[in-house]
């Protein structure tokens, strides 16, 4: 990576500040979790922020996600608390063999005391609504049906189908299939070798069935069932009302081999076929998705070679556009939120348009190593088991991911 960028020093103490504290005009391309977090942070710092989002109704797809202490702490600083929108505190990790036997049951209450902020499980869509509301309340502008087709990185222009938007800064937060990334560096996506089914089940359905009720007795618990090359992850969100499933398996069985954005419709038959050798109780639980089959989706988990740089001129990338994440450490959204916070710190009110390129280089310097280290941990945690044992403990990198210097093991 490039050496530390030089920054124009501030005026000496007591000297008149030659630059008025004028806001920058900031155009954010993409209004997902990363783009909306940057919008909240940068608008909160006092800048003029416009979000350009291609979709019509601005809804965030997907089911639930982890808000680990590192991301939760940032949101709390912005006045957003997961408890207020149905976040569940993560208090227990239960690991099962594929046949259902409990291999490990970890009470996380002591570990939770060590981290500076709570570890929550939240619904992605709800978090997105909360971020949108905060941004709009603070006077930010969000344009929907506004797909950005190109960027002029030196001029800070985003090119829309009709017209253009002008900014002192353009933030490319347009996700894994990023358009803005191609104006920084070309990069090819490739299969990580895995794909995932994702769906939600009302907890009530599990509790009403005597076969599945014991499985959901423990609240605030994350369960994992491990096969050699596939696994099922289940955890609650929405005040424990909803159970979120992510079922990860070899991509060869994904039924989703073409570009499919955030997933395509799958069938219950496909789901049960891929997990046919698993515990009948967890399979009984999974069949309860039948009440909302349209929400059963499968998608390829893609990866990308590390970009040598995330920025050029006035254009900067964040979130999955800069560093797409596999889901094995639950840190993709968290790292996008950390990017947003770092960008907010390096662009305080009073930053002049001329200073923008050096500030963006500083943002990259702050974030590049940490985001890519955690991206690599996520790849490692997704490896298959060997001889019935995990090659990497799912909790091995937790301390680093959560913002502490040392590793757990
Ligand atoms: P996105 O969420 O992809 O948002 C990009 C936005 O840009 C979209 O709204 C899109 O419509 C818009 N857009 C795209 N192109 C354009 C354009 N040209 N013009 C205008 N708008 C455009 N992360 C976690 O932290 N915890 C988890 O537990 C977790 N679980 C996951 C489970 C699975 C199975 C997967 C696949 C991912 C998971 N992630 C998790 C990862 C996380 O969802 C992503 O890393 C995170 O959402 C990245 O956010 P983003 O804003 O960068 O991109």
């Amino acid at each position: 990576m490039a050496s530390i960028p030089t920054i124009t020093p501030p005026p000496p103490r007591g000297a008149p500040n030659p630059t008025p504290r004028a806001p920058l005009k900031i155009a954010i391309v993409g209004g997902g979790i990363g783009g909306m977090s940057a919008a909240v942070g940068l608008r909160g710092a006092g800048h003029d922020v416009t979000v350009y989002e291609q979709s019509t109704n601005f809804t965030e797809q997907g089911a639930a996600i982890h808000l680990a202490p590192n991301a939760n702490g940032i949101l709390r600083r912005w006045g957003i608390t997961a408890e207020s929108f149905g976040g569940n505190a993560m208090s227990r990790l239960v690991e099962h063999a594929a046949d259902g036997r409990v291999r490990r049951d970890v009470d996380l209450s002591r570990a939770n005391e060590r981290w500076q902020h709570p570890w929550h499980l939240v619904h992605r869509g709800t978090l997105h609504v909360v971020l949108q509301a905060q941004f709009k309340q603070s006077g930010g502008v969000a344009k929907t049906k506004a797909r950005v087709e190109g960027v002029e990185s030196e001029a800070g222009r985003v090119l829309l189908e009709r017209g253009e938007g002008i900014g002192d800064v353009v933030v490319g937060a347009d996700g894994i299939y990023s358009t803005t990334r191609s104006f920084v560096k070309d990069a090819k996506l490739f299969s990580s070798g895995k794909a995932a089914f994702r769906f939600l089940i009302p907890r009530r359905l599990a509790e009403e069935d005597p076969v599945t009720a014991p499985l959901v007795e423990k609240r605030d618990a994350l369960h994992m069932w491990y096969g050699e090359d596939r696994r099922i992850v289940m955890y609650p969100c929405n005040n424990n009302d909803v159970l979120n499933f992510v079922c990860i398996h070899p991509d060869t069985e994904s039924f989703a081999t073409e570009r499919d954005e955030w997933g395509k419709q799958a069938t219950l038959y496909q789901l049960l076929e891929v997990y046919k050798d698993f515990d009948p109780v967890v399979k009984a639980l999974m069949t309860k998705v039948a009440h909302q089959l349209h929400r059963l989706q499968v998608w390829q988990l893609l990866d990308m070679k590390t970009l040598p740089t995330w920025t050029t001129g006035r254009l900067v990338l964040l979130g999955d556009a800069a560093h797409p994440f596999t889901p094995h450490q639950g840190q993709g959204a968290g790292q996008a939120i950390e990017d947003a916070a770092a960008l907010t710190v390096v662009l305080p009110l009073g930053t002049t348009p001329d200073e923008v390129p050096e500030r963006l280089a500083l943002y990259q310097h702050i974030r590049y190593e940490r985001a890519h280290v955690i991206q690599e941990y996520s790849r490692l945690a997704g490896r298959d088991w060997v001889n019935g044992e995990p090659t990497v403990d799912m909790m091995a990198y937790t301390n680093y991911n959560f913002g502490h210097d040392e590793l757990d093991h």
Side-chain angles (χ1 to χ4, degrees):
M1 223 195 103
S3 56
I4 301 179
T6 39
I7 294 294
T8 312
R13 197 180 276 273
N17 189 340
T19 49
R21 287 163 58 85
L24 293 168
K25 282 194 185 337
I26 301 181
I28 298 181
V29 183
I33 300 286
M36 288 317 299
S37 298
V40 166
L42 291 164
R43 178 65 203 141
H47 297 297
D48 286 345
V49 181
T50 305
V51 175
Y52 298 89
E53 165 57 43
Q54 66 181 3
S55 66
T56 317
N57 47 13
F58 220 160
T59 51
E60 177 73 355
Q61 286 204 36
I65 56 166
H66 291 254
L67 263 188
N70 54 314
N72 225 347
I74 293 168
L75 294 181
R76 289 176 156 234
R77 193 170 271 237
W78 292 338
I80 297 172
T81 51
E83 296 91 332
S84 67
F85 58 93
N88 280 91
M90 163 94 173
S91 64
R92 200 159 204 102
L93 172 73
V94 188
E95 284 182 1
H96 306 255
D99 64 9
R101 272 173 301 131
V102 174
R103 297 173 51 103
R104 193 160 75 135
D105 185 348
V106 189
D107 179 356
L108 290 169
S109 48
R110 281 202 41 218
N112 277 333
E113 281 165 23
R114 220 170 14 151
W115 298 314
Q116 290 177 4
H117 303 283
W119 179 358
H120 277 117
L121 307 165
V122 302
H123 194 282
R124 274 171 70 105
T126 319
L127 170 62
H128 193 241
V129 167
V130 170
L131 289 167
Q132 274 182 61
Q134 175 123 342
F135 177 57
K136 286 183 188 159
Q137 260 166 28
S138 67
V141 178
K143 300 188 180 203
T144 50
K145 282 194 272 183
R147 184 177 159 77
V148 169
E149 303 289 353
V151 177
E152 286 174 6
S153 57
E154 296 306 321
R157 253 192 293 273
V158 293
L159 307 171
L160 302 148
E161 203 185 336
R162 286 186 208 90
E164 61 187 33
I166 301 191
D168 301 312
V169 187
V170 176
V171 180
D174 47 350
I176 189 164
Y177 299 107
S178 174
T179 299
T180 56
R181 184 170 57 224
S182 60
F183 295 88
V184 177
K185 191 80 194 159
D186 275 333
K188 270 209 171 98
L189 298 170
F190 52 87
S191 170
S192 70
K194 301 282 185 201
F197 291 98
R198 214 162 187 208
F199 54 95
L200 300 170
I201 291 173
R203 169 184 284 272
R204 180 181 48 79
L205 295 183
E207 284 172 343
E208 284 167 5
D209 180 345
V211 174
T212 55
L215 252 188
V216 295
E217 231 167 42
K218 284 177 186 144
R219 300 173 95 78
D220 293 330
L222 181 146
H223 291 257
M224 300 181 82
W225 289 260
Y226 281 103
E228 294 276 324
D229 63 354
R230 60 203 66 200
R231 66 189 68 166
I232 297 171
V233 184
M234 178 196 74
Y235 56 85
C237 67
N238 277 9
N239 289 322
N240 265 312
D241 283 349
V242 174
L243 300 170
N244 174 62
F245 277 84
V246 185
C247 309
I248 300 169
H249 52 276
D251 188 20
T252 47
E253 296 173 65
S254 75
F255 315 100
T257 47
E258 31 186 276
R259 176 184 158 138
D260 58 8
E261 299 284 346
W262 279 104
K264 75 180 187 191
Q265 183 73 50
T267 66
L268 187 53
Y269 172 79
Q270 289 168 333
L271 175 69
L272 294 179
E273 182 61 21
V274 173
Y275 293 94
K276 62 176 184 287
D277 296 328
F278 276 59
D279 178 18
V281 180
V282 73
K283 283 191 293 187
L285 189 53
M286 295 201 297
T287 57
K288 299 190 189 305
V289 71
H291 79 289
Q292 270 192 331
L293 263 185
H294 63 283
R295 301 191 77 176
L296 172 59
Q297 299 208 319
V298 65
W299 68 89
Q300 261 189 318
L301 304 177
L302 297 174
D303 203 346
M304 188 182 87
K305 271 197 178 159
T306 303
L307 291 176
T309 178
W310 297 351
T311 180
T312 177
R314 298 176 180 283
L315 169 62
V316 67
L317 304 176
L318 68 68
D320 277 6
H323 43 67
F325 263 76
T326 53
H328 313 297
Q329 290 273 280
Q331 276 287 334
Q335 289 307 301
I337 292 169
E338 282 196 32
D339 288 346
L343 205 51
T344 304
V345 168
V346 301
L347 294 174
L349 199 61
T351 305
T352 65
D354 286 350
E355 288 169 341
V356 164
E358 68 189 22
R359 296 300 175 112
L360 299 185
L362 183 61
Y363 152 81
Q364 168 171 319
H365 189 80
I366 294 167
R367 289 291 304 141
Y368 191 91
E369 180 180 324
R370 177 165 160 80
H372 287 303
V373 164
I374 297 178
Q375 194 188 28
E376 187 58 20
Y377 288 166
S378 187
R379 292 184 185 114
L380 293 173
R383 282 189 182 170
D384 291 341
W385 283 28
V386 175
N387 301 326
E389 288 299 326
T391 43
V392 176
D393 182 344
M394 192 239 173
M395 298 290 284
Y397 310 116
T398 310
N399 239 2
Y400 181 86
N401 295 350
F402 289 6
H404 292 253
D405 288 341
E406 78 284 7
L407 289 178
D408 278 340
H409 300 278

